[in-house]
Amino acid sequence: MQKHPRHRLARAYYLGPRSYFLTICTSQRRKLFTDQRLVELLVNELAQFLSQGFSIYANCFMPDHCHVLAVAMTDTSDLAKAVRAFKGASAAHVRSLGIRNLWQRDYYDHILRSSESFDAAAAYIFENPVRSGLASDAHDWPFRGSFVFDWKKCSSGFTPLLFGSAAPVVVPAALCHSSGAPAV
């Protein structure tokens, strides 16, 4: 079995107050997240992040992966521990639905820099179903949300996207900005 190259930074980068854009994929990229009941269960399990000192600024469940914009709020916040808690608790709960091996072993993370906007990262997450051709409008996709702000009010104004996309996304910064999200 071939070992994957290490793609994590030193552990210190995952401790304390920082902001993370996460992508967590299903095992074998199975398209499991089309079932409303399953996604609701997983959104409830995002509370595992809250118990580890994180706030969930944005989330979106696509058919075979989810995106989470998590903000560590305390000096003791530990991203690896929070992701482990979320994946473990959610995998245990979905077994009651007959689903085994829910998650891929690893996940992808991007630490937001101080120059990167929370609103732009949230817009990127909310617009993912549109970019993927799953919805014509982000508001049409039922599997996204925020624990911090009312994302449904985000409908006008432009904020540039992160991660190399050339297209702007419609998001009003005044409605979507959260004073609870620290600038890091």
Coordinates of all heavy atoms in Angstrom, one line a residue, residues 58-150:
A58 N -19.7 28.9 7.9 CA -20.4 28.4 6.7 C -20.2 26.9 6.5 O -19.2 26.4 6.9 CB -19.9 29.2 5.5
N59 N -21.2 26.3 6.0 CA -21.1 24.9 5.6 C -22.0 24.6 4.4 O -23.0 25.2 4.2 CB -21.4 23.9 6.8 CG -22.9 24.0 7.2 OD1 -23.7 23.4 6.5 ND2 -23.2 24.8 8.2
C60 N -21.5 23.6 3.6 CA -22.3 23.1 2.5 C -22.0 21.7 2.3 O -20.9 21.2 2.2 CB -21.9 23.9 1.2 SG -22.9 23.5 -0.2
F61 N -23.1 20.9 2.2 CA -23.0 19.5 1.9 C -23.3 19.2 0.4 O -24.4 19.4 0.0 CB -23.9 18.6 2.8 CG -23.4 18.5 4.2 CD1 -23.6 19.6 5.1 CD2 -22.6 17.4 4.6 CE1 -23.1 19.5 6.4 CE2 -22.1 17.4 5.9 CZ -22.4 18.4 6.8
M62 N -22.3 18.8 -0.3 CA -22.4 18.4 -1.7 C -22.6 16.9 -1.7 O -22.5 16.3 -0.7 CB -21.1 18.8 -2.5 CG -20.8 20.3 -2.4 SD -22.0 21.3 -3.3 CE -21.5 20.8 -5.0
P63 N -23.0 16.3 -2.9 CA -23.3 14.9 -2.9 C -22.2 14.0 -2.3 O -22.5 13.0 -1.6 CB -23.5 14.6 -4.3 CG -24.1 15.9 -4.9 CD -23.3 16.9 -4.2
D64 N -20.9 14.3 -2.5 CA -19.9 13.4 -2.0 C -18.9 14.1 -1.1 O -17.8 13.5 -0.9 CB -19.2 12.7 -3.2 CG -18.4 13.7 -4.1 OD1 -18.5 14.9 -3.9 OD2 -17.7 13.2 -5.0
H65 N -19.1 15.3 -0.7 CA -18.2 16.0 0.2 C -18.9 17.1 0.9 O -20.0 17.5 0.5 CB -16.9 16.5 -0.5 CG -17.2 17.6 -1.5 ND1 -17.7 17.3 -2.8 CD2 -17.1 18.9 -1.4 CE1 -17.8 18.5 -3.4 NE2 -17.4 19.4 -2.6
C66 N -18.3 17.6 2.0 CA -18.8 18.8 2.6 C -17.7 19.9 2.7 O -16.5 19.5 2.8 CB -19.4 18.5 3.9 SG -18.3 18.0 5.2
H67 N -18.1 21.1 2.7 CA -17.2 22.2 3.0 C -17.6 22.9 4.3 O -18.8 23.0 4.6 CB -17.2 23.3 1.9 CG -16.7 22.9 0.6 ND1 -15.4 22.5 0.4 CD2 -17.4 22.7 -0.6 CE1 -15.3 22.2 -0.9 NE2 -16.4 22.3 -1.5
V68 N -16.6 23.2 5.1 CA -16.9 23.9 6.4 C -15.9 25.0 6.6 O -14.7 24.8 6.4 CB -16.7 22.9 7.6 CG1 -16.9 23.5 8.9 CG2 -17.6 21.7 7.4
L69 N -16.4 26.2 6.9 CA -15.5 27.3 7.3 C -15.6 27.4 8.8 O -16.6 27.9 9.4 CB -16.0 28.6 6.6 CG -15.2 29.9 6.9 CD1 -13.7 29.7 6.5 CD2 -15.8 31.0 6.1
A70 N -14.6 26.9 9.5 CA -14.6 26.8 10.9 C -13.6 27.9 11.5 O -12.5 28.0 11.0 CB -14.1 25.4 11.4
V71 N -14.0 28.5 12.5 CA -13.2 29.6 13.2 C -12.9 29.1 14.6 O -13.9 29.0 15.4 CB -14.0 30.9 13.2 CG1 -13.1 32.0 13.8 CG2 -14.4 31.3 11.8
A72 N -11.7 29.0 14.9 CA -11.3 28.6 16.2 C -11.3 29.8 17.1 O -10.7 30.8 16.8 CB -9.8 28.0 16.2
M73 N -12.1 29.7 18.2 CA -12.3 30.9 19.1 C -11.5 30.9 20.3 O -11.5 32.0 21.0 CB -13.8 30.9 19.4 CG -14.8 30.9 18.2 SD -14.5 32.2 17.0 CE -15.4 33.5 17.9
T74 N -10.8 29.9 20.7 CA -10.1 29.8 21.9 C -8.6 29.5 21.7 O -8.3 28.9 20.7 CB -10.7 28.8 22.9 OG1 -10.5 27.5 22.5 CG2 -12.2 29.1 23.1
D75 N -7.8 29.7 22.7 CA -6.4 29.3 22.7 C -6.2 27.8 22.7 O -5.2 27.3 22.3 CB -5.6 29.9 23.8 CG -5.5 31.4 23.7 OD1 -5.6 31.9 22.5 OD2 -5.3 32.1 24.7
T76 N -7.3 27.1 23.2 CA -7.2 25.6 23.3 C -7.8 24.9 22.1 O -7.9 23.7 22.1 CB -7.8 25.1 24.6 OG1 -9.2 25.5 24.6 CG2 -7.0 25.7 25.8
S77 N -8.4 25.6 21.1 CA -9.0 25.0 20.0 C -8.0 24.2 19.2 O -6.9 24.7 19.0 CB -9.6 26.1 19.1 OG -10.6 26.8 19.7
D78 N -8.4 23.0 18.8 CA -7.5 22.1 18.1 C -8.2 21.5 16.9 O -9.2 20.7 17.1 CB -7.1 21.0 19.1 CG -6.2 19.9 18.6 OD1 -6.2 19.7 17.3 OD2 -5.4 19.3 19.3
L79 N -7.8 21.9 15.7 CA -8.6 21.5 14.5 C -8.6 20.0 14.4 O -9.6 19.4 14.1 CB -7.9 22.1 13.3 CG -8.7 21.8 12.0 CD1 -10.1 22.4 12.0 CD2 -7.9 22.2 10.8
A80 N -7.5 19.3 14.5 CA -7.4 17.9 14.3 C -8.4 17.2 15.3 O -9.1 16.3 14.9 CB -6.0 17.4 14.6
K81 N -8.4 17.6 16.5 CA -9.3 17.0 17.5 C -10.8 17.3 17.1 O -11.6 16.4 17.3 CB -9.0 17.6 18.9 CG -9.7 17.0 20.0 CD -9.2 17.5 21.4 CE -9.9 16.9 22.5 NZ -9.4 17.5 23.8
A82 N -11.1 18.5 16.7 CA -12.5 18.8 16.3 C -12.9 18.0 15.1 O -14.0 17.5 15.1 CB -12.6 20.3 16.0
V83 N -12.1 17.9 14.1 CA -12.4 17.1 12.9 C -12.6 15.6 13.3 O -13.6 15.0 12.9 CB -11.4 17.2 11.8 CG1 -11.7 16.2 10.6 CG2 -11.4 18.7 11.2
R84 N -11.7 15.1 14.1 CA -11.9 13.7 14.6 C -13.2 13.5 15.3 O -13.9 12.5 15.1 CB -10.7 13.4 15.5 CG -10.0 12.1 15.2 CD -8.8 11.8 16.1 NE -8.4 12.6 17.1 CZ -7.4 13.5 17.1 NH1 -6.7 13.7 16.0 NH2 -7.1 14.3 18.1
A85 N -13.5 14.5 16.2 CA -14.8 14.4 17.0 C -16.0 14.4 16.0 O -16.9 13.6 16.2 CB -14.9 15.5 18.0
F86 N -16.0 15.3 15.0 CA -17.1 15.4 14.1 C -17.2 14.1 13.2 O -18.3 13.5 13.1 CB -16.9 16.6 13.1 CG -17.8 16.6 11.9 CD1 -19.2 16.7 12.1 CD2 -17.2 16.4 10.7 CE1 -20.0 16.7 10.9 CE2 -18.1 16.4 9.6 CZ -19.4 16.5 9.7
K87 N -16.1 13.7 12.7 CA -16.1 12.5 11.8 C -16.5 11.2 12.6 O -17.3 10.4 12.2 CB -14.8 12.3 11.1 CG -14.6 13.3 10.0 CD -13.2 13.3 9.4 CE -12.9 12.1 8.6 NZ -11.6 12.1 7.9
G88 N -16.0 11.1 13.8 CA -16.3 9.9 14.7 C -17.7 9.9 15.1 O -18.4 8.9 14.9
A89 N -18.3 11.0 15.6 CA -19.7 11.0 16.1 C -20.6 10.9 14.9 O -21.6 10.1 15.0 CB -19.9 12.4 16.8
S90 N -20.3 11.5 13.8 CA -21.3 11.4 12.6 C -21.2 10.0 12.1 O -22.3 9.5 11.7 CB -20.9 12.5 11.6 OG -19.6 12.3 11.1
A91 N -20.1 9.4 12.0 CA -20.0 8.0 11.5 C -20.8 7.1 12.4 O -21.4 6.2 11.9 CB -18.5 7.6 11.3
A92 N -20.7 7.2 13.7 CA -21.4 6.4 14.6 C -22.9 6.6 14.4 O -23.6 5.6 14.4 CB -21.0 6.7 16.0
H93 N -23.4 7.8 14.2 CA -24.8 8.0 14.1 C -25.4 7.5 12.8 O -26.5 7.1 12.7 CB -25.1 9.5 14.3 CG -25.2 9.9 15.7 ND1 -24.2 10.6 16.3 CD2 -26.1 9.6 16.7 CE1 -24.5 10.8 17.6 NE2 -25.6 10.2 17.8
V94 N -24.6 7.6 11.7 CA -25.1 7.2 10.4 C -25.2 5.6 10.3 O -25.9 5.1 9.4 CB -24.4 7.8 9.2 CG1 -24.5 9.3 9.2 CG2 -23.0 7.3 9.0
R95 N -24.5 5.0 11.2 CA -24.6 3.5 11.2 C -26.0 3.1 11.4 O -26.5 2.1 10.9 CB -23.7 2.9 12.2 CG -22.2 2.9 11.7 CD -21.3 2.1 12.7 NE -20.0 2.5 12.5 CZ -19.3 3.3 13.4 NH1 -19.9 3.6 14.6 NH2 -18.1 3.7 13.2
S96 N -26.8 3.9 12.2 CA -28.2 3.6 12.4 C -29.0 3.7 11.1 O -30.1 3.1 11.0 CB -28.8 4.5 13.5 OG -28.9 5.8 13.0
L97 N -28.5 4.4 10.1 CA -29.1 4.5 8.8 C -28.6 3.4 7.8 O -28.9 3.4 6.6 CB -28.9 5.9 8.2 CG -29.4 7.0 9.0 CD1 -29.0 8.4 8.4 CD2 -30.9 7.0 9.2
G98 N -27.7 2.5 8.3 CA -27.2 1.5 7.5 C -26.0 1.9 6.7 O -25.6 1.2 5.7
I99 N -25.4 3.0 7.0 CA -24.2 3.5 6.3 C -22.9 3.2 7.0 O -22.8 3.5 8.2 CB -24.3 5.0 6.0 CG1 -25.5 5.3 5.2 CG2 -23.0 5.5 5.3 CD1 -25.9 6.8 5.1
R100 N -22.0 2.5 6.4 CA -20.7 2.2 7.0 C -19.6 2.9 6.2 O -19.8 3.3 5.1 CB -20.5 0.7 6.8 CG -21.5 -0.2 7.4 CD -21.3 -0.4 8.9 NE -22.2 -1.4 9.5 CZ -23.2 -1.0 10.3 NH1 -23.4 0.3 10.5 NH2 -24.0 -1.9 10.8
N101 N -18.5 3.1 6.8 CA -17.4 3.8 6.2 C -17.8 5.1 5.6 O -17.7 5.3 4.4 CB -16.7 2.9 5.2 CG -16.2 1.6 5.8 OD1 -15.6 1.6 6.9 ND2 -16.5 0.5 5.1
L102 N -18.3 6.0 6.4 CA -18.8 7.3 5.9 C -17.8 8.2 5.2 O -18.0 8.7 4.2 CB -19.5 8.1 7.0 CG -20.1 9.4 6.7 CD1 -21.1 9.4 5.6 CD2 -20.6 10.1 8.0
W103 N -16.6 8.4 5.9 CA -15.7 9.4 5.5 C -14.4 8.8 5.0 O -14.0 7.7 5.4 CB -15.3 10.2 6.7 CG -16.4 10.9 7.4 CD1 -16.9 10.7 8.6 CD2 -17.2 12.0 6.8 NE1 -18.0 11.6 8.9 CE2 -18.1 12.4 7.8 CE3 -17.1 12.7 5.6 CZ2 -19.0 13.4 7.6 CZ3 -18.0 13.8 5.4 CH2 -19.0 14.1 6.4
Q104 N -13.7 9.6 4.1 CA -12.4 9.3 3.7 C -11.5 9.4 5.0 O -11.9 10.2 5.9 CB -11.8 10.2 2.7 CG -12.2 9.9 1.3 CD -11.6 10.8 0.2 OE1 -10.9 11.8 0.6 NE2 -11.8 10.6 -1.0
R105 N -10.4 8.8 5.0 CA -9.5 8.8 6.1 C -9.0 10.2 6.4 O -8.9 10.7 7.6 CB -8.3 7.9 5.9 CG -7.4 7.8 7.1 CD -6.3 6.8 6.8 NE -5.4 6.8 7.9 CZ -5.3 5.8 8.8 NH1 -6.0 4.7 8.6 NH2 -4.5 5.8 9.8
D106 N -8.7 11.0 5.4 CA -8.1 12.3 5.6 C -9.1 13.4 5.2 O -10.3 13.1 5.0 CB -6.9 12.4 4.7 CG -5.8 13.4 5.2 OD1 -6.0 14.0 6.2 OD2 -4.7 13.4 4.6
Y107 N -8.7 14.6 5.2 CA -9.5 15.8 4.8 C -8.5 16.9 4.3 O -7.3 16.8 4.5 CB -10.3 16.3 6.0 CG -9.5 16.8 7.2 CD1 -9.1 18.1 7.4 CD2 -9.1 15.8 8.2 CE1 -8.4 18.5 8.5 CE2 -8.4 16.2 9.3 CZ -8.0 17.5 9.4 OH -7.3 17.9 10.5
Y108 N -9.0 17.9 3.7 CA -8.2 18.9 3.2 C -8.5 20.2 4.0 O -9.6 20.5 4.3 CB -8.6 19.2 1.7 CG -8.4 18.0 0.8 CD1 -9.4 17.1 0.6 CD2 -7.1 17.7 0.3 CE1 -9.2 16.0 -0.2 CE2 -6.9 16.5 -0.4 CZ -8.0 15.7 -0.7 OH -7.8 14.6 -1.4
D109 N -7.5 21.0 4.3 CA -7.6 22.2 5.0 C -6.9 23.3 4.3 O -5.9 23.1 3.6 CB -7.2 22.0 6.5 CG -5.7 21.7 6.6 OD1 -4.9 22.6 6.3 OD2 -5.4 20.6 7.0
H110 N -7.4 24.5 4.5 CA -6.7 25.7 4.1 C -6.9 26.7 5.3 O -8.0 27.0 5.7 CB -7.4 26.3 2.8 CG -6.9 27.7 2.5 ND1 -5.7 27.9 1.8 CD2 -7.5 28.9 2.7 CE1 -5.6 29.2 1.7 NE2 -6.6 29.8 2.1
I111 N -5.8 27.2 5.8 CA -5.8 28.2 6.8 C -6.0 29.6 6.2 O -5.2 30.0 5.4 CB -4.5 28.2 7.7 CG1 -4.4 26.8 8.3 CG2 -4.6 29.2 8.8 CD1 -3.0 26.6 9.0
L112 N -7.1 30.3 6.6 CA -7.3 31.6 6.0 C -6.3 32.6 6.6 O -6.0 32.6 7.8 CB -8.7 32.1 6.4 CG -9.8 31.8 5.3 CD1 -10.1 30.3 5.3 CD2 -11.0 32.6 5.6
R113 N -5.7 33.4 5.7 CA -4.8 34.4 6.1 C -5.5 35.7 6.4 O -6.7 35.8 6.1 CB -3.8 34.6 4.9 CG -2.9 33.4 4.7 CD -2.2 33.6 3.3 NE -1.4 32.4 3.0 CZ -1.9 31.3 2.5 NH1 -3.2 31.1 2.2 NH2 -1.1 30.3 2.2
S114 N -4.9 36.6 7.1 CA -5.6 37.8 7.5 C -6.1 38.6 6.3 O -7.1 39.3 6.4 CB -4.6 38.7 8.3 OG -3.5 39.0 7.6
S115 N -5.5 38.4 5.1 CA -6.0 39.2 4.0 C -7.2 38.5 3.3 O -7.8 39.0 2.4 CB -4.9 39.3 2.9 OG -4.5 38.0 2.5
E116 N -7.6 37.3 3.7 CA -8.7 36.5 3.1 C -10.0 36.8 3.9 O -10.0 36.7 5.1 CB -8.3 35.1 3.1 CG -7.2 34.7 2.1 CD -6.8 33.3 2.2 OE1 -6.7 32.7 3.3 OE2 -6.6 32.7 1.1
S117 N -11.0 37.1 3.2 CA -12.3 37.5 3.8 C -13.1 36.3 4.2 O -13.3 35.3 3.4 CB -13.0 38.3 2.7 OG -14.4 38.4 3.0
F118 N -13.7 36.4 5.4 CA -14.7 35.3 5.8 C -15.8 35.3 4.8 O -16.3 34.3 4.5 CB -15.2 35.6 7.2 CG -14.2 35.3 8.2 CD1 -13.5 36.4 8.8 CD2 -13.9 34.1 8.7 CE1 -12.6 36.2 9.8 CE2 -13.0 33.8 9.7 CZ -12.3 34.9 10.2
D119 N -16.3 36.5 4.4 CA -17.5 36.6 3.6 C -17.2 35.9 2.2 O -18.0 35.2 1.7 CB -17.9 38.0 3.4 CG -18.4 38.6 4.7 OD1 -18.8 37.8 5.6 OD2 -18.5 39.8 4.8
A120 N -16.0 36.2 1.7 CA -15.7 35.6 0.4 C -15.5 34.1 0.5 O -16.0 33.4 -0.4 CB -14.4 36.2 -0.1
A121 N -15.0 33.6 1.6 CA -14.9 32.1 1.8 C -16.3 31.5 1.9 O -16.5 30.5 1.4 CB -14.0 31.8 3.0
A122 N -17.1 32.2 2.7 CA -18.5 31.7 2.8 C -19.2 31.7 1.5 O -19.9 30.8 1.1 CB -19.3 32.6 3.8
A123 N -19.0 32.8 0.7 CA -19.6 32.9 -0.6 C -19.2 31.7 -1.5 O -19.9 31.1 -2.2 CB -19.3 34.2 -1.3
Y124 N -17.9 31.4 -1.5 CA -17.3 30.3 -2.2 C -18.0 29.0 -1.8 O -18.4 28.2 -2.7 CB -15.8 30.2 -2.0 CG -15.2 29.1 -2.8 CD1 -14.7 29.3 -4.0 CD2 -15.1 27.8 -2.2 CE1 -14.1 28.3 -4.8 CE2 -14.5 26.8 -3.0 CZ -14.0 27.0 -4.2 OH -13.5 26.0 -5.0
I125 N -18.2 28.8 -0.5 CA -18.9 27.6 -0.1 C -20.3 27.5 -0.5 O -20.8 26.5 -1.1 CB -18.8 27.5 1.5 CG1 -17.3 27.2 1.9 CG2 -19.7 26.5 2.1 CD1 -17.0 27.2 3.3
F126 N -21.1 28.6 -0.3 CA -22.5 28.7 -0.7 C -22.7 28.5 -2.2 O -23.7 28.0 -2.7 CB -23.2 29.9 -0.2 CG -23.2 30.0 1.3 CD1 -23.1 31.2 1.9 CD2 -23.4 28.9 2.1 CE1 -23.1 31.3 3.3 CE2 -23.5 28.9 3.5 CZ -23.3 30.1 4.1
E127 N -21.8 29.0 -3.0 CA -21.9 29.0 -4.5 C -21.4 27.6 -5.1 O -21.6 27.4 -6.3 CB -21.1 30.1 -5.1 CG -21.8 31.5 -5.0 CD -23.1 31.6 -5.8 OE1 -23.1 31.1 -6.9 OE2 -24.1 32.1 -5.2
N128 N -20.9 26.8 -4.3 CA -20.3 25.5 -4.8 C -21.4 24.7 -5.6 O -21.1 24.2 -6.7 CB -19.7 24.7 -3.7 CG -18.8 23.6 -4.2 OD1 -18.4 23.6 -5.3 ND2 -18.4 22.7 -3.3
P129 N -22.6 24.6 -5.1 CA -23.6 23.9 -5.9 C -23.9 24.5 -7.3 O -24.2 23.8 -8.2 CB -24.9 23.9 -5.0 CG -24.4 24.2 -3.6 CD -23.2 25.0 -3.8
V130 N -23.8 25.8 -7.4 CA -24.0 26.5 -8.6 C -22.9 26.2 -9.6 O -23.1 25.8 -10.7 CB -24.2 28.0 -8.4 CG1 -24.3 28.8 -9.7 CG2 -25.4 28.3 -7.5
R131 N -21.6 26.3 -9.1 CA -20.5 26.0 -9.9 C -20.5 24.6 -10.4 O -20.0 24.3 -11.5 CB -19.2 26.3 -9.1 CG -18.8 27.8 -9.0 CD -17.4 28.0 -8.4 NE -17.2 27.2 -7.2 CZ -17.6 27.6 -6.0 NH1 -18.3 28.7 -5.8 NH2 -17.3 26.8 -5.0
S132 N -21.0 23.7 -9.6 CA -21.0 22.3 -9.9 C -22.2 21.9 -10.8 O -22.4 20.7 -11.2 CB -21.1 21.4 -8.6 OG -19.9 21.6 -7.9
G133 N -23.1 22.8 -11.1 CA -24.3 22.6 -11.9 C -25.4 21.9 -11.2 O -26.3 21.4 -11.8
L134 N -25.4 21.9 -9.9 CA -26.4 21.2 -9.1 C -27.6 22.1 -8.8 O -28.7 21.7 -8.4 CB -25.9 20.7 -7.8 CG -24.8 19.6 -8.0 CD1 -24.1 19.3 -6.6 CD2 -25.4 18.3 -8.5
A135 N -27.4 23.4 -8.9 CA -28.4 24.4 -8.7 C -28.1 25.6 -9.5 O -27.0 25.9 -9.8 CB -28.5 24.8 -7.2
S136 N -29.2 26.3 -9.9 CA -29.0 27.6 -10.7 C -28.8 28.8 -9.8 O -28.3 29.8 -10.2 CB -30.2 27.8 -11.7 OG -31.4 27.9 -10.9
D137 N -29.2 28.7 -8.6 CA -29.0 29.7 -7.6 C -28.6 29.1 -6.3 O -29.2 28.0 -5.9 CB -30.3 30.5 -7.4 CG -30.2 31.7 -6.4 OD1 -30.3 31.4 -5.2 OD2 -30.1 32.8 -6.9
A138 N -27.7 29.7 -5.5 CA -27.3 29.1 -4.3 C -28.4 28.9 -3.3 O -28.4 27.9 -2.5 CB -26.2 30.0 -3.6
H139 N -29.4 29.7 -3.3 CA -30.5 29.6 -2.4 C -31.4 28.4 -2.7 O -32.2 28.0 -1.9 CB -31.4 30.9 -2.4 CG -30.7 32.0 -1.8 ND1 -29.8 32.8 -2.5 CD2 -30.7 32.5 -0.6 CE1 -29.3 33.7 -1.7 NE2 -29.8 33.6 -0.5
D140 N -31.2 27.8 -3.9 CA -32.0 26.6 -4.3 C -31.4 25.3 -3.7 O -32.1 24.3 -3.7 CB -32.1 26.5 -5.8 CG -32.8 27.6 -6.5 OD1 -33.6 28.3 -5.8 OD2 -32.6 27.8 -7.7
W141 N -30.2 25.4 -3.2 CA -29.5 24.2 -2.7 C -29.9 24.1 -1.2 O -29.6 24.9 -0.4 CB -28.0 24.3 -2.9 CG -27.3 23.0 -2.6 CD1 -26.5 22.8 -1.5 CD2 -27.4 21.8 -3.3 NE1 -26.0 21.5 -1.5 CE2 -26.6 20.8 -2.6 CE3 -28.0 21.3 -4.4 CZ2 -26.4 19.5 -3.0 CZ3 -27.9 20.0 -4.8 CH2 -27.1 19.1 -4.1
P142 N -30.5 23.0 -0.8 CA -31.0 22.9 0.6 C -30.0 22.5 1.6 O -30.2 22.6 2.8 CB -32.0 21.7 0.5 CG -31.5 20.9 -0.6 CD -30.9 21.8 -1.6
F143 N -28.8 22.1 1.2 CA -27.8 21.6 2.2 C -26.7 22.5 2.5 O -25.5 22.1 2.4 CB -27.3 20.2 1.7 CG -28.4 19.3 1.3 CD1 -28.3 18.6 0.1 CD2 -29.4 19.0 2.2 CE1 -29.3 17.7 -0.2 CE2 -30.4 18.1 1.8 CZ -30.4 17.4 0.6
R144 N -26.9 23.7 2.9 CA -25.9 24.7 3.3 C -26.4 25.6 4.4 O -27.6 25.7 4.6 CB -25.4 25.5 2.2 CG -26.3 26.6 1.7 CD -27.1 26.0 0.5 NE -28.2 26.8 0.1 CZ -29.4 26.8 0.5 NH1 -29.7 26.2 1.6 NH2 -30.4 27.5 0.0
G145 N -25.5 26.2 5.2 CA -26.0 27.0 6.3 C -24.8 27.7 7.0 O -23.6 27.6 6.6
S146 N -25.1 28.4 8.1 CA -24.2 29.0 8.9 C -24.7 29.0 10.4 O -25.9 29.1 10.6 CB -24.0 30.5 8.5 OG -23.2 31.2 9.4
F147 N -23.8 28.8 11.3 CA -24.1 28.9 12.7 C -23.9 30.3 13.2 O -24.2 30.6 14.4 CB -23.3 28.0 13.5 CG -23.6 26.5 13.3 CD1 -24.1 26.0 12.2 CD2 -23.2 25.6 14.3 CE1 -24.4 24.6 12.0 CE2 -23.4 24.2 14.2 CZ -24.0 23.7 13.0
V148 N -23.5 31.2 12.4 CA -23.1 32.6 12.8 C -24.0 33.7 12.2 O -24.3 34.6 12.9 CB -21.6 32.9 12.4 CG1 -21.2 34.3 12.7 CG2 -20.7 31.8 13.0
F149 N -24.4 33.6 11.0 CA -25.2 34.6 10.4 C -26.3 34.0 9.5 O -26.3 32.8 9.2 CB -24.4 35.6 9.5 CG -23.7 34.9 8.3 CD1 -24.3 34.9 7.1 CD2 -22.5 34.3 8.5 CE1 -23.8 34.3 6.0 CE2 -21.9 33.7 7.4 CZ -22.6 33.7 6.1
D150 N -27.3 34.8 9.2 CA -28.4 34.4 8.4 C -28.0 34.5 6.9 O -28.2 35.5 6.2 CB -29.7 35.2 8.6 CG -30.9 34.7 7.9 OD1 -30.8 33.7 7.1 OD2 -32.0 35.3 8.1

